[in-house]
Amino acid sequence: MHDTSATRHQDGLRIIAASAVVILHYSDYFKDAGVGQFMVARTWHFNLFVDLFFVVSGFVIARQYFGRVNDAASIGRFLWRRLARIYPLHLATLAFYIALAGALHFGAARTDNPARYPLSDLPAQFLLLHAFIGERLTFNFPSWSLSAEMFCYLLFPTVALIAQRRKETVIALVALAALANSLWAWAAGMAAWADWINQGGAFRALPAFNLGMACYLFRDRIARWPTIPGALAASLAAFIVLGSLLPTMTALLAIYAIAMLAIQADCAGRETLLSRLRFDRWSPLTYSCYMLHIPVATVIITFGSRLLSLSPHERLILAPVAIVVLAFASIVSLRAFETPLRRYLTEAYDRRAIRPEPSPAISRQEGA
């Protein structure tokens, strides 16, 4: 098993990033109150923390699998293991919203946003294609990033094979993917590609994922970079507080820089304020927290405020309740649902393999 302490800064950043996304989305539930409006205006840049996930994922996947996906059997096993990690909870949360859509259809529930539950989007959701052709903000909408991740996983064996011959090509792929996105956004008159979600989110993920891979391949050089004490914590704090003032693409570059500072600290084996605060202890809950925070908000904030007939200001009392419920639900989901099912699916696949080979152990980082 890989040493889980070797990525403690990246692990710490993952749970911080997930928490930031929760704050962003929960603020939107209270936008009719003054504090909610204030938070939405100053946390919109938190959506770019998803790109931090992509960078860390590229590093972790390369660390786990680089040089180990060289034939059809190993590629199949790799892709199955990734599906076994991300798909069950995606399917469970999607089923929750399908049931809710059914309740809305039969008049057992009501919503102010019926467009969030289009049946036409279900094929893309089931096939993890909703970062290409999905309808924006439907069902459990943060799951668009799973579709983007899966796209990166599908490309990983090819990129890894190329990098085994000449690892500098991965750096070129980072630049080419970013350039292609920029040219497409300019030619189509679209918003900055850092804002792509349902139509193009998969391509948004590529530069970040490849950057993470490149950082792994050049980790020895990165470890020798000169360091500035406190740079990681200071840059993270500055982005959280002041990132809303930055243009979108500048903010994206800041996220990339923060991710690389964390990778540099991990590669050099340095202690920083982030590692001393031990945020990495909570990193196994990152995926659960990310996937469950909207369903929890639907039940606690939306349904709760209606049941209790709360005004926009009164419903603020539901925010801490939702956060506590989310923490509890994340722990239960990880321990009682995600981990057992992932192990079962992985073992079932290996038993059915024609020529079973030892699989790399499931590490905490791979749970991203």
Side-chain angles (χ1 to χ4, degrees):
M1 178 177 288
H2 291 275
D3 178 12
T4 57
S5 67
T7 55
R8 63 191 188 280
H9 290 91
Q10 294 170 75
D11 289 340
L13 278 185
R14 286 198 299 120
I15 192 61
I16 292 172
S19 301
V21 172
V22 171
I23 291 171
L24 167 63
H25 290 157
Y26 279 15
S27 296
D28 193 57
Y29 281 84
F30 305 102
K31 61 186 177 184
D32 292 332
V35 65
Q37 294 175 0
F38 177 86
M39 290 297 294
V40 168
R42 286 157 181 81
T43 62
W44 184 247
H45 60 293
F46 285 7
N47 75 90
L48 294 174
F49 274 112
V50 177
D51 296 274
L52 188 147
F53 291 148
F54 296 144
V55 178
V56 173
S57 180
F59 186 94
V60 169
I61 292 300
R63 184 170 181 261
Q64 287 285 104
Y65 289 102
F66 188 78
R68 308 178 79 166
V69 285
N70 297 319
D71 55 32
S74 60
I75 291 172
R77 186 175 298 109
F78 160 68
L79 293 175
W80 181 260
R81 287 171 70 90
R82 298 318 301 158
L83 277 173
R85 176 63 185 112
I86 68 175
Y87 199 74
L89 191 54
H90 167 59
L91 193 60
T93 57
L94 181 59
F96 168 79
Y97 280 109
I98 292 174
L100 180 56
L104 294 170
H105 178 75
F106 291 106
R110 63 183 179 87
T111 179
D112 298 327
N113 185 20
R116 182 174 166 184
Y117 310 101
L119 296 181
S120 59
D121 200 36
L122 286 178
Q125 292 273 342
F126 280 118
L127 296 173
L128 289 177
L129 294 175
H130 49 302
F132 294 93
I133 57 174
E135 299 184 36
R136 187 178 179 89
L137 300 181
T138 64
F139 300 101
N140 189 29
F141 61 85
S143 69
W144 73 268
S145 65
L146 306 188
S147 174
E149 284 268 0
M150 199 65 213
F151 178 59
C152 294
Y153 299 154
L154 288 169
L155 294 179
F156 172 74
T158 300
V159 177
L161 182 62
I162 295 172
Q164 287 181 56
R165 299 177 180 177
R166 189 174 181 82
K167 61 184 181 180
E168 289 81 4
T169 55
V170 179
I171 298 176
L173 289 175
V174 175
L176 285 173
L179 179 60
N181 287 348
S182 299
L183 290 175
W184 182 264
W186 173 77
M190 301 170 65
W193 56 265
D195 291 328
W196 292 354
I197 297 178
N198 59 312
Q199 295 181 350
F203 299 103
R204 165 183 170 180
L206 271 182
F209 189 89
N210 288 338
L211 176 61
M213 281 190 64
C215 287
Y216 172 75
L217 295 175
F218 291 94
R219 60 195 181 280
D220 293 336
R221 296 186 189 180
I222 291 174
R224 295 193 294 271
W225 285 355
T227 59
I228 302 175
L232 174 58
S235 60
L236 178 61
F239 180 83
I240 290 172
V241 176
L242 302 174
S244 61
L245 304 177
L246 298 174
T248 299
M249 294 307 298
T250 304
L252 179 65
L253 292 176
I255 279 290
Y256 287 176
I258 291 168
M260 293 182 70
L261 284 172
I263 290 171
Q264 200 275 338
D266 285 335
C267 291
R270 292 191 296 108
E271 286 286 343
T272 70
L273 177 61
L274 194 66
S275 61
R276 287 192 290 270
L277 291 174
R278 294 299 312 278
F279 284 107
D280 59 298
R281 288 177 296 178
W282 309 106
S283 64
L285 298 174
T286 299
Y287 182 63
S288 311
C289 177
Y290 180 77
M291 287 296 290
L292 293 175
H293 75 280
I294 295 299
V296 167
T298 297
V299 174
I300 301 299
I301 301 176
T302 301
F303 293 166
S305 62
R306 290 175 183 170
L307 181 64
L308 300 174
S309 300
L310 300 178
S311 70
H313 290 280
E314 292 172 335
R315 72 190 305 193
L316 287 170
I317 64 173
L318 296 177
V321 177
I323 292 172
V324 171
V325 171
L326 175 60
F328 178 76
S330 297
I331 293 170
V332 172
S333 175
L334 177 67
R335 295 180 179 177
F337 178 70
E338 298 166 58
T339 300
L341 192 53
R342 176 175 40 143
R343 287 174 176 166
Y344 171 79
L345 292 172
T346 300
E347 291 168 3
Y349 181 91
D350 288 343
R351 285 196 301 267
R352 292 176 62 87
I354 297 175
R355 291 182 299 173
E357 299 177 15
S359 299
I362 297 173
S363 74
R364 184 175 68 175
Q365 297 85 12
E366 191 184 356

